[in-house]
Structure formats: structure tokens, C-alpha cells
Amino acid sequence: MVDYVGENPAGLTQRAQDFLRRCSRREDFDRGLVGADLDQEIRAVYVQPNSKIVSTLEFVQERYGGLTYTSGLFDSDVFFTPVCEPEDPTEELEILYAVQTGSPAGACLSADGVVIVGVDYHEVPEFPSLDSLIECDSMFELAEQQPATGTMHLAGLDRLRGAVELIEASPFRLRRVPEAGGAHTYWFSGQSAYVFLSGVWGAIGFMPPSIRVWAENQQEVSRILATSG
């Protein structure tokens, strides 16, 4: 028996647990084909069975299905509605609509539960699990409590990786938050500042990588951005 993440958030940090408690709710959703019915349809379309994706779908539907909250990463409300729709044998079978936003942006899952973020058919594997996405979004709630903020865009993904190294070596004592990061996503936190570096949308060609800083005052924001660039 798998518990819904909002009722038993074991495995998440206390920060993410508090975020779900304060900011999320659960709504009904259409589960589509599951279990033996899904297995039968996969065999009909792909000839071969795929027990891994059947079991992964069952897990994520029970654990995350119906979860909704406002996401900082997607800058919109998100709705977790994972389903599997075997239709085209030439396409890799994935768990679709794992994260819906009401726009072309969203996320699906691989059979191993890797979160693939994308816009339309442009996508990139980003987070190892939906827990990591929730951890990432929970950081925004903390960061946005700071009164000052600023954003800087970078010339490319190489500059983003360089900015990560600069922040790690900076005198601002910013600690990397690995559980909230992804392949192109990085969070840092300090005593009075938070830094979010995102290249996920740049990796799929939609906007340049960026650095966002939240701090106690605008001077500190400016200093961190200057050091990062």
C-alpha cells in the first residue's frame, strides 16, 4: 500500500513537508488504464510487455496523483495527473501528464520515474524523481519571503556551470541544496539569501539560463549577481 505524499511525506525534507502542508491540496483525476488493462494494451501496441512502467504508474498515481500547488519552477499552478497511453509503437513509452500546467509546459516520467521537463515536443530529463521537483518548488516559498530580488540572464549553459562554481567559491557562504536540484537546476541558501540557477528552459531552447537572487536588501542582491556573472 502506497501512501499519498500529502498524508505521509516521508522521504521529503521538513521544508518540503511544510510546503505541502501549507500550499498544496489534492483533487480527483482520471487514472486511465492501469494494472492488467494497461498491461494488455501495452502488449497489443508494443508486442512486448513493460511491467516496469505499469508498476511505476501505479506507484506515482497513489503517491502523487491529484497533487496540486503553485510551482515556482513552472511559474504556474501544477496538477499531478500521471497516466499511460500506449498508442504509437515507434515512440518510447512514458508516463504522460505527470505534471500539467495549463500551458504547453509540463513534465512526463520515464519508466524509472525520472522527471522529463518540456514544452510541446522539446524536453530534457531534469529531476531524478517527483520528490526532487517538490523539493525544488518548496525552496521558492522560503526565498520569496525575502524583500529584495533580482534576476540576471546568462549567455548559455556553459556560463551557467561557471556561475555555479563562482557561487560555491564566493564569500557569501551560500550552501548548495542538492535535494532541490536537477540536471540543469541549482539552489543555494545562506543566512539571509537564496540563489536559484536554472538552465532547464535553455536546455530545450526556449530561454537563456538565468540566476535569481532573493536577499534582505537590494545591495546584497546586486553583490551576489555581480559575483555570479
Side-chain angles (χ1 to χ4, degrees), residues 76-98:
S76 72
D77 290 345
V78 292
F79 189 21
F80 290 49
T81 60
V83 297
C84 185
E85 299 175 345
E87 295 176 345
D88 187 345
T90 66
E91 295 183 355
E92 184 176 354
L93 193 58
E94 296 175 329
I95 296 173
L96 306 175
Y97 313 118

Side-chain angles (χ1 to χ4, degrees), residues 26-34 57 60-62 64-67 79-85 95-98 100:
R26 191 179 199 184
E27 296 184 357
D28 293 333
F29 73 103
D30 184 356
R31 294 174 181 259
L33 292 173
V34 296
L57 177 65
V60 296
Q61 284 190 343
E62 291 299 319
Y64 307 98
L67 176 67
F79 189 21
F80 290 49
T81 60
V83 297
C84 185
E85 299 175 345
I95 296 173
L96 306 175
Y97 313 118
Q100 289 199 79

